[in-house]
Amino acid sequence: MPELPEVQTVASELNRKLKNQTILSVKILAGKMVSIGPKTLPPKRGEDAALVRKFIQIALGQKILSVKRRAKLLIFDLSGPWSMLVHLKMTGQFIFEDPKLRIKTGGSYRLLNKKNAPLVKLPGKHTRAVFELSGGTLYFNDVRQFGYLKLVHDDEISQVRELQRFGPEPLAKSFSREVFLAAIKKYPKRKIKDTLLDAEVVAGIGNIYSDEILFHAQIQPARLVGSLKLSELDAVYAQIGPVLRQGIRAKGSSVGDFVRTDGSWGSMGKHHFVYGRKGQACKKCGTIIQSMKTGGRTSSFCPSCQK
DNA sequence: TATATTGTTACACC
DNA sequence: TGGTGTAACAATAT
């Protein structure tokens, strides 16, 4: 489940690998996942052949100047006056295949079978778009097809709805204790877990990292914001940066389908204390990790370490 | 075949 | 009005 650290991993890797490459051809295998313009979210249902043609026409011949991240959104800055915004949602993947690292396997290709990587067949059953670049091939895979690729003219970037709504970037210097406290105290009756998941309060935190942050802050997910002492809110704030940075250092958490751009897994999963560990012993105290539903999401926590 | 899965929006309620 | 909670939705694997 790509969250801030996973999307940051993809953005950094793509920025390094794709910078200054030219888009030589574009294949769209799931037309409903692409759209054009700032207000087109979520993309309309069904295929629109004319729109797909236009999407390809715009992208063709463009050079990729940079790949950045805002919240969980990837932003490809193209040489023309266009940007491509990509959301991976639950199961999106970008895999870049360097022709030098290809192994031919019965008509299709797969990545070098590194130890820390699933066997990826490219293109695969869930490949939704293929970008032939000047230095290799970029595959966009998405099992669920909840993600999207959206082209926006640079003049209209400021009108993109999701960009307008995102709250502060938790790793930015400007994300001070005061900014966090002001944002979170607006919602005294919400559960702390739900508030951390709210992209307008803090951008980019999803289920994995909110659970981990609350574990390290020793706060139960269902606690109401208004019931937390200032010292407890401080503890939550203090854990946001370190936990997210650890995720980035580990190149993300390969829970579900997440892979890096070379097809390998991130290693953050090994460092989880609670997420995905329901029924297992707490790494700190041995108590069995429990789970509960808040805001329609599953939260895992240690009933002994977290109060 | 019912269920689980997540980010996001829509909507009802107070 | 806006905070709050719930449901719905996208599509697929299991």
Side-chain angles (χ1 to χ4, degrees), chain A residues 5-6 9-10 13 116-118 209 246-272:
Chain A
E6 288 74 26
T9 299
V10 171
E13 293 182 358
N116 185 37
Y209 292 92
Q246 187 189 20
I248 292 172
R249 244 181 290 125
K251 308 295 179 189
S253 187
S254 285
V255 171
D257 293 26
F258 178 74
V259 290
R260 297 173 59 186
T261 58
D262 63 354
S264 68
W265 284 307
S267 60
M268 180 61 188
K270 291 181 222 161
H271 306 296
H272 290 172

Side-chain angles (χ1 to χ4, degrees), chain A residues 84-294:
Chain A
M84 183 171 74
L85 276 41
V86 182
H87 205 305
L88 302 174
K89 288 289 179 87
M90 293 169 64
T91 55
Q93 304 174 328
F94 266 119
I95 300 180
F96 181 68
E97 199 177 44
D98 187 318
K100 287 169 280 188
L101 301 178
R102 276 180 174 174
I103 302 173
K104 196 160 188 179
T105 53
S108 62
Y109 296 91
R110 70 171 197 220
L111 297 177
L112 276 175
N113 189 21
K114 298 184 180 175
K115 260 189 191 156
N116 185 37
L119 206 66
V120 190
K121 207 176 178 187
L122 296 170
K125 195 177 166 189
H126 303 121
T127 298
R128 310 302 182 191
V130 183
F131 297 84
E132 208 64 59
L133 306 178
S134 42
T137 310
L138 180 67
Y139 296 89
F140 175 67
N141 299 332
D142 189 348
V143 171
R144 293 281 185 273
Q145 294 181 240
F146 292 174
Y148 59 83
L149 302 96
K150 173 158 65 174
L151 282 171
V152 182
H153 195 280
D154 287 341
D155 292 343
E156 296 185 318
I157 279 281
S158 62
Q159 296 169 43
V160 174
R161 268 168 65 197
E162 54 271 46
L163 287 176
Q164 290 171 340
R165 291 183 187 185
F166 289 144
E169 279 292 326
L171 298 181
K173 282 202 183 79
S174 55
F175 184 65
S176 63
R177 172 179 181 270
E178 287 67 34
V179 166
F180 173 69
L181 291 177
I184 207 158
K185 281 181 169 173
K186 272 167 63 181
Y187 307 105
K189 294 188 174 169
R190 287 171 79 184
K191 297 184 176 97
I192 181 66
K193 161 84 179 194
D194 301 349
T195 314
L196 285 177
L197 288 177
D198 184 342
E200 293 188 38
V201 175
V202 199
I205 298 177
N207 217 15
I208 298 172
Y209 292 92
S210 55
D211 275 6
E212 294 300 312
I213 288 164
L214 288 176
F215 174 81
H216 292 289
Q218 304 183 40
I219 305 291
Q220 290 218 6
R223 289 280 300 281
L224 297 186
V225 170
S227 81
L228 295 172
K229 290 183 280 189
L230 190 55
S231 62
E232 292 176 316
L233 287 172
D234 276 331
V236 174
Y237 173 72
Q239 291 302 330
I240 292 175
V243 171
L244 293 176
R245 273 189 285 267
Q246 187 189 20
I248 292 172
R249 244 181 290 125
K251 308 295 179 189
S253 187
S254 285
V255 171
D257 293 26
F258 178 74
V259 290
R260 297 173 59 186
T261 58
D262 63 354
S264 68
W265 284 307
S267 60
M268 180 61 188
K270 291 181 222 161
H271 306 296
H272 290 172
F273 280 80
V274 283
Y275 185 88
R277 299 196 67 247
K278 178 187 180 180
Q280 300 177 44
C282 173
K283 291 180 180 178
K284 273 199 179 147
C285 76
T287 305
I288 299 300
I289 301 298
Q290 293 184 5
S291 78
M292 65 188 298
K293 288 266 181 190
T294 76

